[in-house]
Amino acid sequence: MPQEPPSRVDLLRGTLDLLILRTLLPGPSHGHAIAKHIQRTSEDLLQVETGSLYPALYRLEAKGWIAASWQLSDKGKRARYYRMTAKGRKRLASEQSKWDAFARAMALLLKPADQEGR
């Protein structure tokens, strides 16, 4: 029996999870910096609201994909810093390969080779 396609919420959640994991790949970061990195790197096309970011961080922590600890920020304020775990690195690799395949498929469908230049 074919599996149902993911709902819009699941697709968005999976996308946000991937973005957070990718952001944490170079090293630990606090929530505000994660959101700013996603926004800046996407040239302001993606903006992660607090109401979406922190539930996603808690969910990723509960799954064991990230770990958190309290540290002092550059401004001397106490902040919760998140880092990717080994389990999170495996998940990132898996999800990134799925997204690469999806992006390739979309590119092929949106601009078929036989219709180029028409």
Side-chain angles (χ1 to χ4, degrees):
M1 178 176 234
Q3 189 177 6
E4 269 187 54
S7 70
R8 183 174 185 272
V9 172
D10 290 340
L11 191 59
L12 292 175
R13 180 178 296 153
T15 303
L16 181 54
D17 292 355
L18 175 63
L19 293 173
I20 291 169
L21 290 173
R22 181 60 187 92
T23 299
L24 292 176
L25 186 60
S29 192
H30 58 81
H32 181 72
I34 292 169
K36 283 294 176 196
H37 178 267
I38 292 169
Q39 182 176 345
R40 194 174 47 251
T41 305
S42 72
E43 298 177 349
D44 295 323
L45 293 170
L46 301 175
Q47 295 181 10
V48 182
E49 301 298 326
T50 303
S52 298
L53 177 66
Y54 288 96
L57 288 168
Y58 300 143
R59 186 177 58 254
L60 294 177
E61 188 177 9
K63 290 180 178 185
W65 298 346
I66 63 173
S69 62
W70 288 100
Q71 299 176 21
L72 287 181
S73 72
D74 296 339
K75 297 179 181 176
K77 292 186 178 183
R78 214 167 155 248
R80 196 160 162 91
Y81 277 74
Y82 300 89
R83 65 171 177 78
M84 194 172 358
T85 63
K87 194 173 176 183
R89 287 184 200 287
K90 286 180 185 172
R91 183 64 181 198
L92 173 61
S94 167
E95 290 303 308
Q96 193 159 350
S97 77
K98 288 178 193 175
W99 266 99
D100 289 345
F102 177 74
R104 183 172 181 273
M106 289 300 292
L108 291 168
L109 288 166
L110 292 174
K111 190 171 185 179
D114 64 333
Q115 292 182 5
E116 287 182 17
R118 282 191 192 172

